[in-house]
């Protein structure tokens, strides 16, 4: 495997940096508190119960940006995961290597008060509030590790794009069926005020039952709300379909099939809601 890009001079060779928790300003902690209060309010009744349990057991709260060392102690006792700080986006192989070893990489910086709704790079609010609560769920925790291990292998098969689509439509933008309705679990949704309403309530997007190979064929948008969301039955389903599963035969099969547009609907899809695409076409 090709060696990844050299880490920046201020980072360690695995791209991690000290969080330097003492250096956050009062204004930065206040941004966390504002986002935390707004998002927990919005998510009431909309998010998977595993997320709320995660917030509770990790004692994530409206009391400033969490200290990664303290958070990691609680998390490690539950599922063996830790949280490490990185300067921003890291190369794919570095990212996968951390996940495969149960280390979740998180940005240390937080968005400015005038950027509460929009930012390009994942910040500490997206990474911690969005991703870390579900790492307390044993099945989801195993899925994330399997994803990292699978990523290292996908690079050898030239199948990174397929695996990235899986991450996008589950870890970042997934929905789950729970208690007779749909609930949110994807970190990109649960950390976004606008999308946490849109993904569940808006008539525009498709909501389709999750199918691993179907998802691996589906392109996605990174610059706007999704046109299709995929709905899992349980985190156990994700674990079962990825942990100790060899994706090589799947990648070979998918080579023969066309890539699907974000709004595509197949005759074989189990459609939960057919989207009007009104928002997407506006
Ligand atoms: N780096 N810090 C960080 N966070 C991510 O979510 C991330 C990354 N590097 C690569 C990456 N994600 C994705 O491209 C992979 O899922 C393919
Ligand atoms: Fe993310």
């Amino acid at each position: 495997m090709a060696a990844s890009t050299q880490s920046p001079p201020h980072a360690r060779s695995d791209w991690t940096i000290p969080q330097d928790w003492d250096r956050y300003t009062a204004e930065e902690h206040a941004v966390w508190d504002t986002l935390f209060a707004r998002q927990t309010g919005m998510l009431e009744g909309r998010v998977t119960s595993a997320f709320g349990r995660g917030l509770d057991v990790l004692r994530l709260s409206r009391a400033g940006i969490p200290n990664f060392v303290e958070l990691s102690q609680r998390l490690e006792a539950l599922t063996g995961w830790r949280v490490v700080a990185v300067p921003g986006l890291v190369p794919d192989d570095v990212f996968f290597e951390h996940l495969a070893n149960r280390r979740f990489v998180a940005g240390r910086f937080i968005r400015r008060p005038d950027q509460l709704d929009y930012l390009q790079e994942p910040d500490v609010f997206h990474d911690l509030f969005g991703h870390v609560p579900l790492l307390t769920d044993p099945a989801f925790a195993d899925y994330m590790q399997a994803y990292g291990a699978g990523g290292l292998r996908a690079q050898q098969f030239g199948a990174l794009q397929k695996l990235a689509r899986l991450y996008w439509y589950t870890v970042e933008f997934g929905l789950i069926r729970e208690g007779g309705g749909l609930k949110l679990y994807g970190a990109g949704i649960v950390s976004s005020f606008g999308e946490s309403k849109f993904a569940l309530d808006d008539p525009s997007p498709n909501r389709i039952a999750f199918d691993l190979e179907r998802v691996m064929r589906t392109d996605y948008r990174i610059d706007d709300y999704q046109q299709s969301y995929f709905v899992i039955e349980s985190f156990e389903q994700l674990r079962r379909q990825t942990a100790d599963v060899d994706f090589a035969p799947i990648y070979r099969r998918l080579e023969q099939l066309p890539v699907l547009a974000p709004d595509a609907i197949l005759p074989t899809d189990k459609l939960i809601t057919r989207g009007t695409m009104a928002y997407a076409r506006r």
Side-chain angles (χ1 to χ4, degrees), residues 80-95:
W81 276 80
R82 291 190 296 129
V83 178
V84 292
V86 289
L89 283 176
V90 300
D92 291 334
D93 59 337
V94 175
F95 183 67

Side-chain angles (χ1 to χ4, degrees), residues 84-96 99 104-107 121-122 126-127 131 147 151 155 160-161 163-168 171-172 220:
V84 292
V86 289
L89 283 176
V90 300
D92 291 334
D93 59 337
V94 175
F95 183 67
F96 295 140
L99 295 184
F104 190 77
V105 299
E121 281 216 348
H126 167 81
D127 281 335
H131 285 282
Y147 181 83
Q155 288 187 313
L160 205 60
Q161 232 187 347
L163 204 70
R165 293 183 191 123
L166 177 63
Y167 192 86
W168 191 262
V171 176
E172 294 291 356
Y220 55 83

Side-chain angles (χ1 to χ4, degrees), residues 264-280:
I265 296 176
L266 299 180
T268 45
D269 282 340
K270 288 196 198 103
L271 258 185
I272 295 159
T273 338
R274 180 185 294 269
T276 62
M277 295 295 143
Y279 174 83

Side-chain angles (χ1 to χ4, degrees), residues 12-240:
R12 304 180 190 103
S13 61
D14 67 356
W15 286 69
T16 61
I17 55 172
Q19 184 191 13
D20 282 335
W21 188 85
D22 294 334
R23 290 174 56 186
Y24 288 118
T25 64
E27 187 185 52
E28 287 175 319
H29 286 303
V31 169
W32 171 277
D33 294 349
T34 301
L35 289 167
F36 190 95
R38 190 173 74 153
Q39 236 12 59
T40 47
M42 172 57 100
L43 291 178
E44 227 177 305
R46 309 176 152 265
V47 74
T48 175
S49 56
F51 183 88
R53 277 198 300 278
L55 287 184
D56 285 348
V57 292
L58 294 173
R59 282 180 257 154
L60 286 174
S61 71
R62 200 180 142 186
I65 300 166
N67 182 317
F68 290 6
V69 174
E70 289 170 14
L71 181 64
S72 294
Q73 282 166 357
R74 290 185 207 122
L75 183 59
E76 193 162 16
L78 294 163
T79 56
W81 276 80
R82 291 190 296 129
V83 178
V84 292
V86 289
L89 283 176
V90 300
D92 291 334
D93 59 337
V94 175
F95 183 67
F96 295 140
E97 182 75 31
H98 282 297
L99 295 184
N101 290 285
R102 293 200 173 227
R103 290 186 300 268
F104 190 77
V105 299
R108 82 164 290 286
F109 79 98
I110 193 152
R111 66 197 77 178
R112 295 193 316 258
D114 61 326
Q115 298 177 309
L116 292 192
D117 292 306
Y118 176 81
L119 81 166
Q120 226 149 22
E121 281 216 348
D123 73 341
V124 66
F125 184 75
H126 167 81
D127 281 335
L128 286 200
F129 183 88
H131 285 282
V132 174
L134 281 191
L135 291 174
T136 64
D137 180 276
F140 190 85
D142 285 354
Y143 171 61
M144 286 289 280
Q145 178 184 3
Y147 181 83
L152 295 171
R153 261 173 67 76
Q155 288 187 313
Q156 301 163 26
F157 288 100
L160 205 60
Q161 232 187 347
K162 296 182 182 68
L163 204 70
R165 293 183 191 123
L166 177 63
Y167 192 86
W168 191 262
Y169 283 119
T170 59
V171 176
E172 294 291 356
F173 292 97
L175 303 182
I176 185 167
R177 204 192 287 276
E178 199 174 286
L182 301 186
K183 298 279 157 101
L184 311 172
Y185 76 89
I189 308 178
V190 304
S191 64
S192 156
F193 189 68
E195 196 151 2
S196 45
K197 192 164 172 50
F198 178 88
L200 280 190
D201 299 350
D202 202 281
S204 185
N206 299 320
R207 298 177 186 86
I208 305 170
F210 176 81
D211 176 282
L212 183 105
E213 295 188 27
R214 200 286 189 204
V215 164
M216 282 190 177
R217 292 171 61 195
T218 311
D219 265 339
Y220 55 83
R221 304 194 53 157
I222 59 165
D223 58 341
D224 205 343
Y225 298 155
Q226 300 307 302
Q227 284 164 265
S228 297
Y229 296 94
F230 292 90
V231 182
I232 61 168
E233 293 296 323
S234 66
F235 298 125
E236 197 53 59
Q237 176 187 15
L238 292 179
R239 164 157 67 183
R240 199 174 51 238

